[in-house]
Amino acid sequence: MSAFHLGDVQDAACTLDGVAHRTPVVTSSRLDDELGIELHLKCENLQRMGAFKFRGAYNALSRLDDDARAAGVVAFSSGNHAQAVALAARLLDIPATIVMPTDAPAIKLTATKGYGATVVPYDRRTEDRAAIARDLAEREGRTVIPPFDHPHIAAGQGTAALELLEEAPDLDVVIAPLGGGGLLSGTAVATRGMRQDTRIFGAEPAAGDDGKQSFDSGEIVTIPVPDTLADGAQTTALGELTFPIIRELVEDIVRVTDDELVAAMRSLAHTCKLVVEPTGALALAAAKTLAPSMSGAKVGVILSGGNVDLDRYAGLIARGATRAR
């Protein structure tokens, strides 16, 4: 699988121009004072379909030839990639089938169906979603659009960091969430291409630290499906494309507990009036962990998504309030 470069991210930005939202970069003097750093929050929770995933999905689908578009695509996802492919497919008039876990958040399942995709359910703990997707693709002549391990997907995700650096070009640090590595590898390629001296970190759930284990060991480590609030980062291994990029360009991976995720969500709601899903708060939680070691630094944080059921969100925020007392 071929790697991708800054030029691919820039090309993806041209493809997405006028289609994807150029999401705002939000600052908070209160958070800055609290943490002793200068935060720049890239709000991909305000992206189309509510997450950065739209960038990669649209970039990948737009590059299919006429025959592949007519035959359709199949994807597998716990939610945000599912919605992204479904929406991109609708905009490009491409039939889409999405393999989704039976425990996918209801808000993400409903949105995926609402965009017009056909959903095929599977049990994430006993079945192989990639194998199901490959079988569907072979039987129906469709193209598989993976959630992260694809150069057009990862290059599309990198456009979020590209926009962040265009608005805040002198960042000392950039932090992005880590699941399978599409966003982090895209962020790393875009950041290193724009600024040689900016430090790059990933943030992943402590319960699902396959990325950190892989980073430290030098080879891809596979783990069981992790039990974490960050459903968008319940991947079990990094990709063959994303891992070497991350190992080369990223300084380290920060582990984030569920309690730290909830605290970050509360901070965003209270200080910035932003609703962010648990996975989307990974990078801010990591920034809080790193803050004492980088006092005064200008830190870019990618808030990757905001697709969370409001009742669940209210419960998590309330739980955080109780533990904060």
Side-chain angles (χ1 to χ4, degrees):
M1 186 179 295
S2 61
F4 64 100
H5 308 283
L6 176 62
D8 300 301
V9 179
Q10 293 169 326
D11 189 43
C14 292
T15 298
L16 292 165
D17 186 31
V19 181
H21 295 326
R22 187 180 179 95
T23 54
V25 176
V26 170
T27 59
S28 167
S29 58
R30 182 167 181 172
L31 278 177
D32 290 352
D33 291 344
E34 175 188 329
L35 299 178
I37 57 179
E38 183 181 310
L39 284 169
H40 298 263
L41 308 173
K42 180 62 172 170
C43 296
E44 286 297 288
N45 57 310
L46 302 178
Q47 185 54 260
R48 293 188 73 162
M49 51 68 50
F52 76 97
K53 289 282 191 178
F54 178 73
R55 296 174 180 271
Y58 190 89
N59 187 50
L61 265 64
S62 69
R63 296 173 192 282
L64 296 176
D65 62 28
D66 290 343
D67 288 343
R69 291 190 184 205
V73 298
V74 58
F76 47 92
S77 166
S78 63
N80 282 339
H81 181 63
Q83 294 173 83
V85 170
L87 175 56
R90 188 182 76 179
L91 293 173
L92 294 166
D93 196 25
I94 298 172
T97 296
I98 316 293
V99 179
M100 295 187 72
T102 52
D103 61 349
I107 188 174
K108 297 181 180 181
L109 177 62
T110 300
T112 300
K113 291 179 177 178
Y115 290 132
T118 299
V119 172
V120 174
Y122 81 100
D123 186 330
R124 77 162 85 221
R125 300 187 184 277
T126 62
E127 296 181 281
D128 184 340
R129 64 183 189 170
I132 295 170
R134 285 194 301 268
D135 181 62
L136 282 168
E138 289 173 6
R139 285 191 282 110
E140 301 178 8
R142 294 176 177 244
T143 300
V144 175
I145 305 295
F148 51 83
D149 211 27
H150 189 291
H152 294 154
I153 293 288
Q157 318 305 27
T159 61
L162 198 67
E163 292 176 5
L164 172 61
L165 287 159
E166 287 170 354
E167 294 198 33
D170 56 348
L171 292 176
D172 300 304
V173 178
V174 172
I175 309 173
L178 173 60
L183 178 59
L184 182 55
S185 64
T187 296
V189 168
T191 301
R192 187 58 70 243
M194 298 285 284
R195 278 182 60 87
Q196 285 295 314
D197 56 350
T198 297
R199 302 169 70 190
I200 306 164
F201 292 89
E204 73 177 346
D209 66 345
D210 59 288
K212 175 63 172 172
Q213 291 184 50
S214 301
F215 188 86
D216 288 346
S217 69
E219 59 185 23
I220 296 175
V221 173
T222 300
I223 63 171
V225 176
D227 184 11
T228 172
L229 292 176
D231 62 274
Q234 283 182 299
T235 48
T236 60
L238 298 179
E240 297 289 340
L241 169 71
T242 61
F243 170 63
I245 294 171
I246 290 169
R247 191 116 199 287
E248 177 186 357
L249 301 180
V250 173
E251 182 170 333
D252 204 356
I253 310 298
V254 180
R255 297 181 179 97
V256 176
T257 67
D258 279 357
D259 284 347
E260 289 169 335
L261 278 181
V262 173
M265 292 168 65
R266 280 184 53 80
S267 291
L268 290 165
H270 185 59
T271 62
C272 305
K273 313 307 181 225
L274 292 171
V275 174
V276 176
E277 64 185 282
T279 309
L282 277 167
L284 177 59
K288 289 187 173 190
T289 296
L290 293 169
S293 66
M294 51 186 190
S295 179
K298 295 183 178 180
V299 181
V301 166
I302 297 182
L303 306 177
S304 59
N307 291 318
V308 58
D309 177 81
L310 288 181
D311 289 338
R312 179 175 185 245
Y313 178 81
L316 291 173
I317 296 299
R319 186 182 87 175
T322 300
R323 297 191 177 188
R325 293 191 184 114

